[in-house]
């Protein structure tokens, strides 16, 4: 059998079986007409040919990948025009996948991985969408006026290695760069001062619901939004506990790679409001919504929960629990199990054996749990923002929770976060001691609860900040494996690894994009992970977009903004921002910036140095500055500048 390289286009009609049930003859005739009048002529016009018809779908081969992508775009645009002229119930929505790869030639047919990947891309594309492989995007990125949006690496059926997937955005701008041509030589540690990222729910909510809707983001997998449980009494204690139950159920569900669960930060937008679950489903792109309430009376508590089909508003199940107040954690586990089993039977997505029921340890004391919730509120969720006094008070309350329940791992997670804030915000009187306490608390959290993803996440962060990079990566891998759909965990990992090398940075971009998908109303601190990840991936236009979204920017954001304008060839804007940088720090240099953030030699340090030059800022320190700062890192590019200056 012969083999050759070819571009393969796979297309099929969404919901064809349902259309045939409604009007078999009419659907067949419309499909046949569309194939004859649109698909076959366009494929031929772009020098392709159809080698397989499959009822509601087809496979076509092209010798040019540019022709294949152009044809895919022409087909979707042509279909949109045809749909505009027919009643809504007679319209076809088509998904298209395009891949470039080796195929096996067997007469008029084509086989092999090149064909299989195209078919898998088509299956995961949204209706009306075009998904292409990384090979395709790399070949054609500079040849079209539309953008290729990275969807991350995805595992597809019967393909061993993950496939890099890109979505064609017919309305966006082309990416500056999709893939790097060179390997990045050295690693760096995530900047310790960037501790703001650990504010797991701090920062203002960004109004990006419009982006969420316009992006067409929706989950094909089992997906759920857990609305804040209502407190039916007036006691603030039970208000905190109702919020805690909500978050714990979300955390439990996030441990499954078969259920996509929206982050609490996004569902909190519905707190205290009367909502239509169908609208919630449409807003967040999910198939199911969980509602619930908590009502306490003496030492008894009643918890209700109901799971609703977001498309129809139909109740799938509801349950009422009347328990002693100390038994609420067992109720929480039961609710999680029932959700898993219901989604498995309704959606056919989860088999009971596949769903990892939460195995981390619940609190042993309700009073300890309440102290933990108060600590979390005062330290990380204050209305006016993070303060030193709030962190100190939070530290006391976390210690009180531990006194009441010495095995409460989550309280040690909270302590680790407190110390990271104290260090990162410059609040710590003894910075190195804060780092040591951070690492000690994180290790204790993992020791007490090895199945707690947040514990492994804070331990990875603490190890990175304490210089133990290799072990930090191990902990981050464990955190992701334990909770592959926990948005905050993914974002924390991304923010620690996003400048550690090409492979790690690609992972950081993928994780940040996944986090935003799971948390569409994401908190302000996500923007840091987004602009850092895109900067070091050299997607400067996207980096600038997210740095502009960051609220309350510091000199760090100003420095990056100046460099980004330099890279984007906007010298006037770069100069304006650079002047503000020097106004706040007259001694700013690229090398000083690198030293502050713990950057080692290598490509990323050169990227900062070159960005500084493009912005009109100094890349290197003077001899006097080096003398005053003996620990300043000698960046290779800056060493060369000093040599030139000495020779001149």
């Amino acid at each position: 059998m012969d083999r050759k390289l070819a571009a393969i286009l796979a297309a099929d009609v969404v919901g064809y079986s349902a259309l045939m049930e409604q009007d078999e003859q009419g659907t067949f005739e419309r499909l046949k007409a569309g194939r004859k009048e649109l698909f076959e002529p366009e494929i031929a016009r772009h020098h392709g040919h159809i080698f397989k018809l499959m009822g509601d779908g087809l496979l076509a081969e092209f010798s040019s990948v540019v022709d294949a992508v152009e044809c895919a775009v022409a087909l979707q645009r042509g279909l949109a025009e045809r749909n505009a002229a027919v009643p809504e119930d007679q319209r076809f929505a088509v998904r298209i996948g395009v891949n470039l790869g080796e195929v096996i030639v067997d007469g008029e047919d084509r086989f092999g991985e090149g064909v299989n990947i195209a078919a898998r891309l088509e299956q995961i594309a949204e209706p009306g969408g075009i998904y292409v492989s990384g090979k395709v995007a790399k070949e054609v990125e500079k040849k079209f006026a539309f953008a290729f949006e990275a969807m991350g690496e995805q595992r597809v059926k019967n393909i061993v290695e993950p496939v890099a997937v890109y979505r064609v955005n017919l309305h966006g701008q082309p990416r500056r760069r999709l893939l790097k041509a060179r390997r990045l030589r050295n690693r760096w540690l995530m900047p310790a001062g960037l501790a703001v990222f650990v504010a797991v729910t701090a920062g203002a909510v960004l109004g990006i619901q419009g982006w969420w809707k316009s992006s067409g983001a929706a989950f094909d997998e089992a997906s759920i939004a857990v609305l804040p449980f209502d407190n039916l009494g007036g006691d603030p204690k039970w208000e905190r506990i109702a919020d805690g139950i909500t978050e714990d159920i979300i955390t439990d569900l996030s441990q499954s790679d078969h259920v996509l669960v929206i982050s609490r930060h996004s569902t909190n937008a519905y707190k205290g409001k009367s909502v239509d679950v169908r609208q919630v489903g449409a807003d967040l792109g999910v198939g199911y919504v969980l509602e619930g309430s908590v009502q306490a009376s003496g030492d008894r508590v009643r918890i209700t929960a109901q799971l609703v089909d977001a498309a129809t508003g139909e109740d799938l199940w509801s349950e009422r629990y009347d328990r002693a107040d100390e038994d609420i954690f067992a109720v929480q586990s039961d609710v999680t199990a029932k959700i898993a089993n219901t989604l498995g039977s309704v959606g056919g997505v989860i088999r009971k054996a596949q769903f990892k029921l939460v195995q981390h340890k619940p609190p042993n004391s309700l009073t300890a749990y309440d102290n933990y919730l108060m600590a979390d509120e005062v330290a990380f969720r204050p209305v006016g923002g993070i303060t030193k006094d709030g962190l100190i008070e939070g530290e006391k309350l976390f210690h009180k929770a531990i006194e009441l329940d010495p095995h409460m791992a989550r309280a040690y997670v909270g302590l680790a976060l407190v110390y990271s804030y104290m260090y990162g915000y410059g609040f710590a009187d003894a910075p190195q001691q804060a780092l040591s306490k951070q690492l000690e608390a994180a290790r204790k959290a993992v020791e007490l609860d090895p199945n707690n993803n947040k514990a492994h996440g804070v331990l990875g962060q603490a190890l990175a900040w304490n210089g133990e990079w290799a072990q930090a990566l191990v902990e981050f891998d464990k955190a992701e494996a334990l909770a592959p759909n926990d948005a905050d965990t993914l974002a924390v990992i991304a923010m620690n690894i996003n400048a550690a090398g090409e492979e790690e940075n690609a992972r950081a971009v993928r994780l940040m994009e996944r986090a935003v998908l799971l948390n569409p109303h994401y908190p302000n601190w996500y923007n840091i992970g987004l602009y850092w990840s895109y900067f070091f991936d050299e997607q400067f236009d996207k980096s600038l977009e997210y740095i502009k979204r960051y609220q309350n920017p510091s000199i760090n954001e100003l420095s990056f903004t100046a460099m980004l304008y330099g890279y984007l060839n906007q010298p006037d804007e770069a100069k304006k921002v650079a002047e503000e940088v020097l106004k706040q720090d007259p001694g700013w240099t690229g090398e000083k910036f690198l030293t502050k953030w713990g950057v080692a030699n290598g490509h990323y340090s050169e990227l900062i140095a070159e960005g500084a030059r493009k912005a009109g800022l100094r890349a290197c320190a003077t001899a006097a500055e080096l003398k005053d700062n003996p620990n300043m890192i000698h960046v290779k590019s800056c060493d060369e500048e000093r040599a030139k200056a000495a020779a001149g």
Side-chain angles (χ1 to χ4, degrees):
M1 290 182 288
D2 295 329
R3 295 176 180 268
K4 68 175 182 178
L5 187 68
I8 302 297
L9 181 153
D12 84 336
V13 176
V14 180
Y16 181 71
S17 298
L19 291 169
M20 288 290 283
E21 275 187 15
Q22 295 172 11
D23 181 10
E24 182 174 291
Q25 185 63 31
T27 297
F28 177 78
E29 292 297 332
R30 290 194 300 276
L31 179 64
K32 184 177 178 181
R35 184 179 291 158
K36 290 292 182 184
E37 297 167 12
L38 175 63
F39 279 72
E40 290 179 0
E42 281 293 347
I43 290 171
R45 189 168 70 84
H46 288 88
H47 314 293
H49 74 276
I50 299 171
F51 63 87
K52 184 173 290 186
L53 293 173
M54 301 166 291
D56 63 331
L58 60 84
L59 293 169
E61 178 189 30
F62 298 79
S63 57
S64 162
V65 68
V66 173
D67 284 339
V69 176
E70 280 186 336
C71 182
V73 172
L75 289 172
Q76 291 291 26
R77 287 176 172 166
L79 191 60
E81 291 176 3
R82 291 173 67 92
N83 280 338
V86 300
E88 188 170 342
D89 62 350
Q90 296 181 14
R91 295 174 183 175
F92 285 126
V94 170
R95 300 177 295 200
I96 297 179
V98 181
N99 181 46
L100 176 66
E102 189 175 74
V103 300
I104 299 171
V105 179
D106 184 11
E108 290 299 313
D109 213 344
R110 303 291 183 266
F111 300 95
E113 192 166 277
V115 177
N116 295 341
I117 290 176
R120 301 297 179 241
L121 291 170
E122 166 260 311
Q123 290 169 3
I124 64 175
E126 70 267 28
I130 303 168
Y131 277 21
V132 303
S133 65
K135 291 180 181 178
V136 172
K138 184 178 180 181
E139 286 291 323
V140 304
E141 61 169 316
K142 297 178 181 178
K143 298 179 173 68
F144 295 114
F146 42 77
F148 293 84
E149 297 178 354
M151 306 300 288
E153 290 189 344
Q154 300 194 28
R155 293 195 174 275
V156 296
K157 186 177 178 181
N158 296 332
I159 304 298
V160 176
E161 296 296 328
V163 178
V165 179
Y166 291 83
R167 176 171 58 194
V168 177
N169 181 349
L170 304 182
H171 308 292
Q173 295 300 313
R175 290 180 52 185
R176 180 177 179 85
R177 193 170 184 183
L178 284 174
L179 302 169
K180 294 186 182 69
R182 57 178 179 268
R183 295 295 300 174
L184 306 181
R185 295 181 290 281
N186 293 317
R187 301 173 182 269
W188 76 345
L189 298 182
M190 177 64 197
L194 214 58
V196 65
F197 78 80
V198 296
V200 172
T201 54
V205 177
L206 293 181
I208 59 168
Q209 186 171 327
W211 166 84
W212 176 250
K213 290 180 178 178
S214 64
S215 70
F219 300 120
D220 290 332
E221 303 167 63
S223 51
I224 187 170
V226 181
L227 296 183
F229 274 45
D230 292 324
N231 171 31
L232 300 184
D235 190 339
K237 166 186 171 180
W238 286 100
E239 182 75 19
R240 289 190 297 271
I241 290 173
D243 288 343
I245 290 172
T246 304
E247 184 160 12
D248 285 348
I249 290 173
I250 290 172
T251 299
D252 294 351
L253 289 171
S254 298
Q255 289 197 327
S256 173
D257 53 5
H258 299 284
V259 178
L260 294 168
V261 56
I262 297 296
S263 169
R264 177 190 168 190
H265 196 280
S266 288
T267 57
N268 231 28
Y270 303 96
K271 184 176 174 64
K273 298 178 181 178
S274 177
V275 296
D276 183 337
V277 294
R278 291 170 294 186
Q279 187 60 49
V280 173
D283 289 346
L284 299 176
V286 296
Y288 306 94
V289 173
L290 181 75
E291 298 178 299
S293 65
V294 176
Q295 184 173 19
S297 178
D299 61 355
R300 304 290 295 180
V301 60
R302 171 175 292 177
I303 297 176
T304 63
Q306 60 182 17
L307 186 67
V308 182
D309 186 320
T312 64
E314 176 189 0
D315 286 354
L316 300 177
W317 65 259
S318 62
E319 197 79 52
R320 186 178 75 183
Y321 304 87
D322 289 297
R323 301 285 180 90
D325 54 15
E326 293 286 346
D327 291 339
I328 63 170
F329 307 111
V331 171
Q332 171 194 312
S333 296
D334 189 59
V335 169
T336 304
K338 280 187 166 61
I339 292 171
N341 293 336
T342 302
L343 294 186
S345 61
V346 172
V349 179
I350 314 163
R351 293 197 303 271
K352 186 176 180 181
Q354 293 175 314
F355 188 82
K356 295 184 297 184
L357 289 178
V358 63
Q359 300 194 17
H360 61 67
K361 298 176 182 176
N364 293 321
S365 161
L366 185 62
T367 306
Y369 184 58
D370 189 37
N371 274 274
Y372 160 79
L373 293 173
M374 285 192 289
D376 184 70
E377 189 173 281
V378 73
F380 308 133
R381 307 173 197 264
V383 175
I386 305 296
T387 65
K388 182 176 181 179
D389 288 343
L391 291 171
I392 291 173
E393 181 63 21
E395 180 186 15
K396 291 177 182 176
L397 288 166
F398 281 129
H399 277 300
K400 187 174 179 180
I402 291 169
E403 288 174 11
L404 293 165
D405 183 356
H407 299 287
M408 184 181 278
R410 64 181 73 194
Y412 282 102
V413 171
L415 279 178
L417 293 177
V418 164
Y419 298 132
S420 68
Y421 273 115
M422 295 294 284
Y423 179 83
Y425 273 97
F427 295 152
D429 296 326
Q432 290 305 313
Q433 185 180 24
L435 283 180
S436 297
K437 286 184 175 180
Q438 175 197 22
L439 184 57
E440 180 183 356
R443 281 181 166 150
K444 185 65 175 178
V446 170
E447 176 189 328
L448 289 172
D449 192 354
N451 292 313
N452 188 314
N453 60 286
K454 296 186 188 300
H456 287 284
V458 295
L459 179 55
Q461 170 205 325
L463 288 165
W465 290 15
N466 281 271
E468 300 179 40
W469 176 246
Q471 190 58 38
L473 281 177
V474 173
E475 294 302 322
F476 289 139
D477 288 345
K478 289 179 181 177
E480 184 180 1
L482 283 168
N485 286 307
D486 183 278
D488 289 338
T489 294
L490 302 184
V492 166
I493 295 170
M495 296 180 78
N496 273 275
I497 67 173
N498 61 14
E502 183 177 26
E503 183 177 341
E504 289 82 2
N505 194 70
R507 179 187 177 192
V509 170
R510 184 173 72 252
L511 291 177
M512 282 308 311
E513 291 175 344
R514 177 79 168 173
V516 170
L517 188 69
L518 293 165
N519 194 359
H521 302 296
Y522 63 81
N524 188 37
W525 64 271
Y526 275 38
N527 287 306
I528 300 174
L530 288 160
Y531 83 70
W532 276 75
S533 297
Y534 284 129
F535 180 88
F536 291 108
D537 201 44
E538 299 183 45
Q539 297 186 52
F540 301 124
D541 50 350
K542 282 193 174 183
S543 181
L544 183 62
E545 174 189 345
Y546 287 102
I547 209 169
K548 286 180 176 179
R549 293 186 182 185
Y550 183 71
Q551 298 173 4
N552 303 317
S554 68
I555 191 172
N556 304 319
E557 282 72 46
L558 288 175
S559 303
F560 268 110
T561 302
M563 290 185 281
L564 286 166
Y565 278 129
Y567 274 116
L568 291 170
N569 296 316
Q570 299 182 44
D572 292 341
E573 294 295 330
K575 180 181 178 182
K576 188 188 306 181
V577 181
E579 287 173 352
E580 183 60 31
V581 171
L582 295 176
K583 182 178 178 181
Q584 293 193 26
D585 181 4
W588 192 98
T589 66
E591 185 165 17
K592 184 178 177 181
F593 183 81
L594 293 168
T595 303
K596 177 181 179 181
W597 298 125
V599 182
N601 293 350
H603 171 74
Y604 287 130
S605 59
E606 293 171 7
L607 197 65
I608 293 289
E610 181 62 20
R613 296 188 198 98
K614 287 180 177 291
L617 294 164
R618 283 192 298 142
C620 301
T622 64
E625 287 168 333
L626 286 174
K627 184 178 180 181
D628 293 337
N629 297 276
N631 294 323
M632 192 168 280
I633 294 172
H634 293 245
V635 180
K636 178 182 176 183
S637 56
C638 291
D639 287 339
E640 293 171 354
E641 285 195 5
R642 291 192 204 96
K644 290 178 183 177

